Amino acid sequence: MIIDCHGHYTTAPKALEDWRNRQIAGIKDPSLMPKAGDLKISDDELRESIEANQLRLMKERGLDLTIFSPRASFMAHHIGDFNISATWSAICNELCYRVAQLFPGNFIPVAMLPQSPGVDPKTCIPELEKAVKQYGNVGINLNPDPSGGHWNSPPLPDPHWYPIYEKMIEYDIPAMVHVSTSCNPCFHTTGAHYLNADTTAFMQFLTSDLFQRFPKLRFIVPHGGGAAPYHWGRFRGLAQDMKKPPLKELLLNNVFFDTCVYHQPGIDLLTRVIPVDNILFASEMIGAVRGIDPETGHSYDDTKRYIEAAKISAGERGKIYEGNARRVFPRLDAALKGKGK
Amino acid sequence: MIIDCHGHYTTAPKALEDWRNRQIAGIKDPSLMPKAGDLKISDDELRESIEANQLRLMKERGLDLTIFSPRASFMAHHIGDFNISATWSAICNELCYRVAQLFPGNFIPVAMLPQSPGVDPKTCIPELEKAVKQYGNVGINLNPDPSGGHWNSPPLPDPHWYPIYEKMIEYDIPAMVHVSTSCNPCFHTTGAHYLNADTTAFMQFLTSDLFQRFPKLRFIVPHGGGAAPYHWGRFRGLAQDMKKPPLKELLLNNVFFDTCVYHQPGIDLLTRVIPVDNILFASEMIGAVRGIDPETGHSYDDTKRYIEAAKISAGERGKIYEGNARRVFPRLDAALKGKGK
């Protein structure tokens, strides 16, 4: 089985975006604020948006199951206040849940949280609980910078975030560290902010004792870990200068990287540098990069081709495709086993 | 000849740091503010600080010449106002100039600028002119985020920065894009802020028409280009989705990467992905990572070993070691030719 651990619902029916635009307009003019119930999307519309897009590509590429969460750039936690984010998160999480209900063999949901800049993360717990208990979510996406590029929340090892971590441990779910749209003109969203956030989070973990305090906490650092694997020697050396244990011992029971790296040399580096047990297959399609690479004739984000061509064994490939995802997402494993898979 | 294009004066005599601490104290209490002339460092002290450190390692490693600039993390443009930065820059640039005078075959200076958050970059021009005309500097370090991690200056393609670019073209000097200390607790200085700035600047260039406007502008993106080479497919794909020309045409007449990547797999990726004409040898020693890699028995920052082991030809190695630096730093080339080198 091939599990793609990083897919977003980027192809939701246009009605979702229209509703969001009305909600944003309603922040300034409350008379324009829509109700959650105003959004009507039928099962047929959901089916169509998936069958023509993600599911079509999954079949073409030979992927079985996508761990599926709301569109990352649309989370936009910086917009409005907690209530705005809460309504928006509930809507987006419900849609991913419905997709998973419609295609139970192909999609399983991961939740966005109703984060809001300056608001205590414990306000996210009710949505998190609903997502896990009612909707069967197997993980969450955690935004380390709900401001959208101003980076004015405490670093991830700060007790500020502990309420989320305590729930993650209680439910045995991992978090993917994933920012949303940048509203800082210095940072291009998918070309800088995403990768910077990955590198930043990794270094926050490295300099902290978070995993001594929470040994069961698990994070996926997406987009191949940002700059971390390419600069693995730098990070090993920085940890060493700080008298920390080796990275494997310090971080690699708790930190995992996905394979959203859109060319063969990048995947070759990732699989050469990072222990295979810490790599989870992912493509983040249909996402940041949608074109065909003229150097290969295939989609940039068809990452399975790079994994197939990487110099690793069949057993290692199996871990990247399936085994590691089952281990990092125990609720996914349980759901699959419940279906005899 | 082997030219290291990225060295900072990290080993300056303690008197420099003491003076800076007095200057910082003087911001709050003007009665404590030292005069520039209060700083006394003899030629012997300079010689000792270099001979025991950078020059010793250059000889051990077989490096001939270092392009030498003030300590990056000490630039700290966020401290005080323009006048504070102006005095501090003048002092630091003078010291690097004196080092270059004392060791004319081994060091040639690059200047820091007296940047200050929210201050027009054209205020940096007098120091830049002095550095080039009087001190023989062959380039500058440009900080895209003088706030130290708050990223509230305009992106590098913004006209805000044009006064600097016009002088760079007039003097035919490149800039290394280099941030300084992070005062944002989210960003570790050398483990996140530096690499993020590299990625950020690269993406700012990619999304702009800066090099159509200034075809002769040249930037070095240090630390191996941050995350850019590892995610080269992502960047190629993003440019393609934006209907931009291929990266080679869009950026690679103007953007160069150094080799400050502290392990073999990283350098192997860099030399595999980036055209050899765009790679300049560098180690940034004695800098961010000072230990011995237990996997190799050699210093992490002994980057020459990685270049020696990379699968490139002798001619390509010569470009990385010398030819590209002479091309990107024409004033360096002229200075060397003036000495018959």
Side-chain angles (χ1 to χ4, degrees):
Chain A
M1 179 185 295
I2 299 185
I3 300 166
D4 184 333
C5 81
H6 187 177
H8 301 295
Y9 195 8
T10 50
T11 59
K14 182 76 167 39
L16 181 66
E17 186 175 353
D18 293 342
W19 188 94
R20 175 64 159 173
N21 287 337
R22 290 175 58 205
Q23 188 195 35
I24 293 168
I27 296 170
K28 283 196 178 163
D29 180 351
S31 74
L32 300 174
M33 185 63 79
K35 290 177 187 157
D38 292 348
L39 178 64
K40 309 282 186 199
I41 298 178
S42 69
D43 283 355
D44 279 349
E45 288 172 302
L46 290 181
R47 268 192 209 97
E48 194 182 339
S49 73
I50 292 291
E51 281 173 349
N53 294 297
Q54 285 86 354
L55 195 59
R56 173 180 60 80
L57 290 174
M58 287 166 66
K59 285 179 179 168
E60 280 179 27
R61 299 179 185 181
L63 315 183
D64 300 293
L65 177 66
T66 294
I67 299 177
F68 201 56
S69 59
R71 186 172 189 170
S73 64
F74 274 28
M75 297 191 298
H77 296 114
H78 63 279
I79 293 176
D81 58 13
F82 169 76
N83 286 323
I84 294 291
S85 277
T87 309
W88 178 235
S89 299
I91 283 175
C92 293
N93 287 332
E94 189 191 5
L95 286 182
C96 287
Y97 164 67
R98 288 175 60 198
V99 168
Q101 295 291 106
L102 292 170
F103 302 97
N106 302 116
F107 294 90
I108 196 159
V110 150
M112 69 175 277
L113 299 178
Q115 296 177 247
S116 192
V119 177
D120 189 331
K122 79 179 172 199
T123 56
C124 297
I125 301 301
E127 181 67 24
L128 190 160
E129 288 186 331
K130 183 187 70 182
V132 173
K133 289 185 180 170
Q134 290 182 37
Y135 288 170
N137 279 253
V138 298
I140 55 172
N141 290 338
L142 183 65
N143 184 346
D145 173 31
S147 77
H150 298 293
W151 290 95
N152 45 20
S153 288
L156 289 173
D158 190 275
H160 174 79
W161 303 97
Y162 287 1
I164 304 285
Y165 301 160
E166 286 158 2
K167 278 289 159 186
M168 286 167 61
I169 289 165
E170 180 185 338
Y171 290 138
D172 204 9
I173 56 172
M176 179 173 281
V177 180
H178 208 307
V179 288
S180 184
T181 291
S182 162
C183 55
N184 182 327
C186 286
F187 302 131
H188 184 275
T189 296
T190 54
H193 190 42
Y194 282 16
L195 302 175
N196 291 349
D198 304 334
T199 309
T200 298
F202 180 78
M203 192 63 191
Q204 291 177 358
F205 295 144
L206 189 156
T207 49
S208 79
D209 61 356
L210 185 63
F211 303 125
Q212 288 174 273
R213 178 177 285 266
F214 295 110
K216 294 190 171 174
L217 209 51
R218 295 182 305 281
F219 292 101
I220 297 140
V221 182
H223 319 109
Y230 175 47
H231 287 282
W232 201 243
R234 184 181 192 87
F235 290 103
R236 287 198 289 111
L238 286 167
Q240 186 174 318
D241 286 353
M242 293 174 205
K243 317 289 182 201
K244 299 264 186 188
L247 294 189
K248 195 170 163 59
E249 185 183 326
L250 179 66
L251 297 175
L252 293 187
N253 292 316
N254 308 87
V255 175
F256 303 84
F257 302 104
D258 79 10
T259 66
C260 293
V261 179
Y262 295 154
H263 63 154
Q264 191 66 49
I267 291 291
D268 289 347
L269 177 122
L270 177 68
T271 53
R272 179 176 172 192
V273 169
I274 303 299
V276 70
D277 288 338
N278 292 79
I279 302 173
L280 273 66
F281 177 73
S283 70
E284 201 176 5
M285 64 92 169
I286 299 167
V289 177
R290 302 187 179 197
I292 305 289
D293 186 346
E295 295 185 7
T296 65
H298 301 292
S299 296
Y300 287 100
D301 66 6
D302 187 357
T303 52
K304 185 185 162 206
R305 289 179 183 275
Y306 313 134
I307 300 296
E308 290 295 311
K311 287 177 187 160
I312 51 176
S313 69
E316 292 173 325
R317 207 166 275 117
K319 287 182 173 185
I320 292 173
Y321 281 149
E322 178 181 357
N324 296 338
R326 284 180 178 258
R327 186 162 44 88
V328 173
F329 294 87
R331 285 176 176 262
L332 164 67
D333 187 50
L336 289 171
K337 284 181 175 154
K339 295 176 186 172
K341 290 184 183 174
Chain B
M1 178 184 294
I2 299 185
I3 300 167
D4 184 334
C5 82
H6 187 176
H8 300 296
Y9 195 8
T10 50
T11 59
K14 182 74 166 41
L16 181 69
E17 186 175 352
D18 292 342
W19 188 95
R20 175 65 159 172
N21 287 336
R22 289 174 58 206
Q23 188 196 35
I24 294 168
I27 296 169
K28 283 197 177 162
D29 180 352
S31 73
L32 300 174
M33 185 63 77
K35 291 176 188 159
D38 293 347
L39 177 63
K40 310 282 187 200
I41 298 178
S42 69
D43 283 356
D44 279 350
E45 287 172 303
L46 291 181
R47 266 193 211 96
E48 194 182 339
S49 74
I50 293 291
E51 281 173 348
N53 294 298
Q54 284 85 354
L55 195 58
R56 173 180 62 81
L57 290 173
M58 287 165 66
K59 285 180 180 168
E60 280 179 24
R61 299 179 185 182
L63 316 183
D64 299 293
L65 176 67
T66 294
I67 299 178
F68 201 57
S69 59
R71 185 172 190 169
S73 63
F74 273 28
M75 297 192 297
H77 295 115
H78 63 279
I79 294 175
D81 58 12
F82 170 76
N83 287 322
I84 293 291
S85 276
T87 308
W88 178 235
S89 298
I91 284 175
C92 293
N93 287 333
E94 189 191 4
L95 285 182
C96 287
Y97 165 67
R98 287 175 61 199
V99 167
Q101 293 293 106
L102 292 170
F103 302 96
N106 302 114
F107 293 90
I108 195 158
V110 150
M112 69 176 276
L113 298 178
Q115 296 177 247
S116 192
V119 177
D120 189 332
K122 78 179 173 200
T123 56
C124 297
I125 302 299
E127 182 67 23
L128 190 161
E129 288 186 329
K130 183 186 72 182
V132 173
K133 288 185 180 170
Q134 289 182 37
Y135 289 171
N137 279 253
V138 299
I140 56 172
N141 290 337
L142 183 65
N143 184 346
D145 173 30
S147 78
H150 298 294
W151 290 95
N152 45 21
S153 289
L156 289 173
D158 191 275
H160 174 79
W161 302 97
Y162 287 1
I164 303 286
Y165 301 159
E166 286 158 2
K167 278 289 160 187
M168 286 167 61
I169 289 165
E170 179 185 338
Y171 290 138
D172 204 10
I173 57 172
M176 179 172 281
V177 180
H178 207 308
V179 288
S180 184
T181 291
S182 162
C183 55
N184 182 327
C186 286
F187 302 131
H188 183 275
T189 295
T190 55
H193 191 43
Y194 282 16
L195 302 175
N196 291 350
D198 304 334
T199 309
T200 299
F202 181 78
M203 193 62 191
Q204 290 177 358
F205 295 145
L206 189 156
T207 49
S208 79
D209 62 356
L210 185 63
F211 303 125
Q212 288 174 273
R213 179 178 284 267
F214 296 109
K216 295 190 170 174
L217 210 51
R218 296 183 302 282
F219 291 100
I220 297 140
V221 182
H223 320 107
Y230 175 46
H231 287 283
W232 201 242
R234 184 179 192 89
F235 290 104
R236 287 197 289 111
L238 286 167
Q240 186 175 317
D241 286 353
M242 293 174 205
K243 316 290 182 203
K244 300 263 184 188
L247 295 189
K248 195 169 163 59
E249 185 183 326
L250 179 66
L251 296 175
L252 294 187
N253 293 314
N254 307 88
V255 175
F256 303 84
F257 302 103
D258 80 10
T259 65
C260 294
V261 179
Y262 295 153
H263 63 154
Q264 190 67 47
I267 291 291
D268 289 346
L269 176 122
L270 178 67
T271 54
R272 179 176 172 192
V273 168
I274 304 300
V276 70
D277 289 338
N278 291 79
I279 303 173
L280 275 66
F281 177 73
S283 70
E284 201 177 5
M285 64 92 171
I286 298 167
V289 178
R290 303 188 178 195
I292 305 289
D293 186 346
E295 294 184 8
T296 65
H298 301 291
S299 296
Y300 287 100
D301 66 6
D302 187 356
T303 53
K304 185 185 162 205
R305 290 179 183 274
Y306 313 133
I307 301 296
E308 290 294 312
K311 287 177 188 160
I312 51 176
S313 70
E316 291 173 325
R317 208 166 272 117
K319 287 182 172 185
I320 292 173
Y321 281 149
E322 177 180 358
N324 296 338
R326 284 179 178 261
R327 186 162 45 87
V328 174
F329 293 87
R331 286 176 175 263
L332 164 68
D333 187 49
L336 290 171
K337 283 181 176 152
K339 294 177 185 170
K341 290 184 182 174

